[in-house]
Amino acid sequence: MDHSIREDRGALVVSLAGDVDLESSPRARTVLLDCVGQNRTVLVDMSAIDYIDSSGVASLVEAFQSARKAGSPFALVSVSEAALRVLQLARLDRIFTIHASLDDALADGS
Amino acid sequence: MDTNGTENGPDHGHQRSSRLAQGLGLLADMSRDFADTRDIAGTLSRALIHITEYLDAEGGALFLLEDERILRCQSSVGVIQIDGLTLPADQGVVGSVVQANAGRIVRDAQTEPDFDKSVDERTGFTTRSILCAPMSIADQCIGAIELINKHGSDGPFEDADLALLEILCSSAAMALLNARLAASLVEQERMKREIELAAEIQRNLLPAAGTSGFPLFGFNIPAREVSGDFFDYFTLADGRIAWCLGDVSGKGINAALLMAKTASLYRCLGKTETNPSALLARINDEIVETATRGMFVTLIGGIYDPANDTVCFANGGHEPPLYHSRDGIFHDFPAEAPPLGILACTDGNQFPQETVRLDGGSFYVFTDGVTEGKLPNGVSLGTEGVKRSLAKDANLPLDERLKAICRMLDRDDGALHDDITVLGIDAARPTLARREAPLGDQSFTYRFAARAELLQGARNAAREYLKSQGIAQAPINDIVLAVDEACQNIIRHAYRDPDKGDIVLDMALHTSADPASSLRTLVIYVRDFAPEIDAITVAPRKLEDTRPGGLGTHFIREIMDEVAYLRPREGIGNLLRMTKEIPPIH
């Protein structure tokens, strides 16, 4: 798994790429929680995720719950087909805020 | 030897040493003769002639013990011809020698109380002195050699004669015992070969292992080479399945022979007589006509009709069969009729039949080797134990359910005292592709250390395999996720320490047993070698619960059609079986 963090119009955009699995999800978790800890809007770009498993989903869930507690916006963006299928299997596709593109997400103000 | 030095003149000394040399020569000749011969009786006769001549006796006889109670003259030479003569093993001078297992010299036979004068009376011969030594090895005496009357005026036999005869007798006894041992080994070997042949023929009387999806499954594990238990099933022309399971009284070859006869009668008559009650009556009458007195057969014979989902059976004195309903209720059917082979049928309804509708439940028949089989704690499994096991494994395929019972009893610790035979009928939950079925060239095996960083390699390998089988991308993604989650469960829950073991991944695609169906079944086994895990700890989470954990198991159950936690045959580790139907490729 690769990741990168950049700022775009006031939001922190975390891009995750490749396989988010049992080996890499601890890193994803740390990155996501660090960003959420900055009390800014966090958008997770999932367009380049080839594979995500339950541990990867769990990292997203934890970051989501942490942001909610802090009252800061947290959304998933451009979720790849493979990742969306897994979120659907977990019935989490309606719990996360999911935007089709970064522009949509920023326009929405989340 | 004479220890009285006064007679040891030069002549005597020369005589003695030359006699000793002769004696040793005789012993050597005899030993060689015994070693070479196959005709042990002829060799013993020749040995007796040499011994009699050498010890200068007028006559000699070789007696062998029969049944510990009788001494029979095997061979005789010289003035007495008493071949075949028998006397009680505790009578006469020979008898006293055999009983005491010690040689003796009788210097004056006529005044010896042990001497049996009747032989002299019959032969007209006068016995003056007797030299007799036991033929024995250690404590085991198998006969004796008796010499009568020292020739000429030499007087009675001497101690030296007795010492020499004892040595010669030992040599003869050794040769005879060796010959008997060799003969019994040959016989044992022959018997062993015959029993192996019988066992092979018997195994061939049992039906071949059931094919996948067949509603019947059964097996027989003999406690000895040959078995008195049997079962059989075959499909009739109209699609119904005839089956039977029986147990012959007694064990060993005689039981096996009656088993073979009953199984053959069943197979032959069962093809035309499809009414279980009438079929048992016919087999009964056949066995009564010719059976060995005292032997009988308990037998359940029946018909399973897949069209209306019913089992119809008659029970001749056998353990009650069990019906396990879909709701988990057990019902047993005690036999109302006696075993087969005891009484010829007098009326038409000696073996009443019963009918059960399976209705999603299962029907089991077994022999008392199952209910009386011992668990590791020494307690019999009992009918209740059988029920507990069947109830616990109710969601496993039929063959796994029956094998689980067998594994409790046949544990390689010699616990199996009786044959184990079980037959199950289970139509609503047809047996999945059997694990033992050859996986064929379309199978996939991948073994790797249980470490998170190796999961990606396992996923890639699984993905390649599934792609090579022509499975579409979307189901591949799902299946790979399920496999990955199963491996994660092992890494996180089963192996407590990292690097402590391997994971073995097996996948195979099976075509449907129904030729009309183009569905394929993907069977995946994920095996580890960690301590047994409790399936409850890997239970799926509740969906409304968004906390992490249990999600992986939820994925597995969501993706796969069937998921079962099994005990591996080898007894260590955990075995997860997942199956999924794969739609045809378009």
Side-chain angles (χ1 to χ4, degrees), chain A residues 12-14 32 36 40-46 60 63-64 67 72-79 95-102 104-106 108-110:
Chain A
L12 279 177
V13 180
V14 184
L32 290 170
V36 168
R40 293 163 69 180
T41 297
V42 173
L43 302 175
V44 186
D45 182 345
M46 294 175 66
L60 290 175
F64 166 77
S72 52
F74 181 92
L76 310 182
V77 173
S78 313
V79 179
I95 288 175
F96 285 114
T97 307
I98 299 178
H99 294 292
S101 70
L102 202 56
D104 284 359
L106 291 165
D108 190 52
S110 56

Side-chain angles (χ1 to χ4, degrees), chain A residues 23-94:
Chain A
E23 190 215 354
S24 57
S25 60
R27 271 188 291 134
R29 175 179 178 272
T30 311
V31 169
L32 290 170
L33 288 177
D34 278 355
C35 293
V36 168
Q38 296 177 33
N39 287 321
R40 293 163 69 180
T41 297
V42 173
L43 302 175
V44 186
D45 182 345
M46 294 175 66
S47 60
I49 289 184
D50 297 322
Y51 177 84
I52 186 165
D53 71 355
S54 61
S55 69
V57 171
S59 303
L60 290 175
V61 169
E62 202 180 343
F64 166 77
Q65 288 172 329
S66 173
R68 207 174 223 204
K69 213 174 271 174
S72 52
F74 181 92
L76 310 182
V77 173
S78 313
V79 179
S80 70
E81 203 185 320
L84 187 61
R85 166 65 179 157
V86 178
L87 293 177
Q88 283 164 350
L89 278 174
R91 316 270 200 275
L92 290 170
D93 51 325
R94 273 165 290 173

Side-chain angles (χ1 to χ4, degrees), chain B residues 238-448:
Chain B
D238 59 8
R240 293 185 297 164
I241 301 162
W243 55 268
C244 74
L245 183 143
D247 185 358
V248 175
S249 63
K251 293 188 183 69
I253 290 284
N254 50 353
L257 285 172
L258 186 52
M259 167 269 173
K261 176 179 174 166
T262 313
S264 307
L265 280 172
Y266 179 85
R267 195 157 249 267
C268 182
L269 299 174
K271 285 181 178 152
T272 48
E273 179 56 82
T274 59
N275 175 298
S277 175
L279 178 58
L280 258 64
R282 283 193 66 183
I283 298 174
N284 175 63
D285 288 1
E286 284 290 335
I287 297 175
V288 167
E289 257 182 56
T290 50
T292 315
R293 196 168 26 155
M295 291 189 76
F296 56 86
V297 187
T298 66
L299 178 71
I300 301 185
I303 300 276
Y304 170 64
D305 188 345
N308 56 22
D309 194 33
T310 54
V311 175
C312 175
F313 66 96
N315 183 354
H318 195 82
E319 290 259 312
L322 280 180
Y323 170 66
H324 189 204
S325 78
R326 194 173 45 178
D327 311 326
I329 311 291
F330 279 101
H331 183 74
D332 51 16
F333 303 87
E336 287 172 25
L340 280 67
I342 293 179
L343 270 177
C345 290
T346 46
D347 60 54
N349 196 27
Q350 188 167 339
F351 298 96
Q353 62 190 37
E354 293 187 67
T355 303
V356 185
R357 219 170 89 72
L358 285 187
D359 192 23
S362 310
F363 191 81
Y364 303 102
V365 199
F366 38 84
T367 54
D368 55 8
V370 174
T371 47
E372 288 165 15
K374 294 276 189 286
L375 295 170
N377 60 10
V379 174
S380 293
L381 179 63
T383 311
E384 289 311 309
V386 173
K387 287 179 182 173
R388 269 197 304 278
S389 177
L390 290 172
K392 175 172 68 64
D393 295 337
N395 291 322
L396 295 185
L398 176 62
D399 55 341
E400 297 289 349
R401 253 175 281 154
L402 299 185
K403 283 175 192 164
I405 291 177
C406 152
R407 274 195 297 270
M408 286 191 279
L409 302 175
D410 187 15
R411 299 184 302 271
D412 294 335
D413 60 356
L416 197 58
H417 294 303
D418 199 358
D419 309 330
I420 294 181
T421 308
V422 196
L423 179 74
I425 309 174
D426 178 315
R429 290 170 295 191
T431 307
L432 282 167
R434 280 156 37 85
R435 178 73 185 95
E436 289 71 21
L439 293 172
D441 47 353
Q442 297 216 315
S443 69
F444 164 88
T445 299
Y446 189 84
R447 185 175 182 134
F448 63 105

Side-chain angles (χ1 to χ4, degrees), chain B residues 195-256:
Chain B
I195 287 175
E196 279 166 7
L197 269 176
E200 190 186 325
I201 289 172
Q202 225 189 2
R203 277 194 298 277
N204 290 338
L205 289 174
L206 301 175
T211 45
S212 144
F214 198 72
L216 272 79
F217 182 81
F219 61 79
N220 162 264
I221 302 171
R224 303 183 187 187
E225 282 94 340
V226 290
S227 174
D229 281 11
F230 63 99
F231 73 100
D232 198 4
Y233 52 77
F234 47 89
T235 307
L236 298 166
D238 59 8
R240 293 185 297 164
I241 301 162
W243 55 268
C244 74
L245 183 143
D247 185 358
V248 175
S249 63
K251 293 188 183 69
I253 290 284
N254 50 353

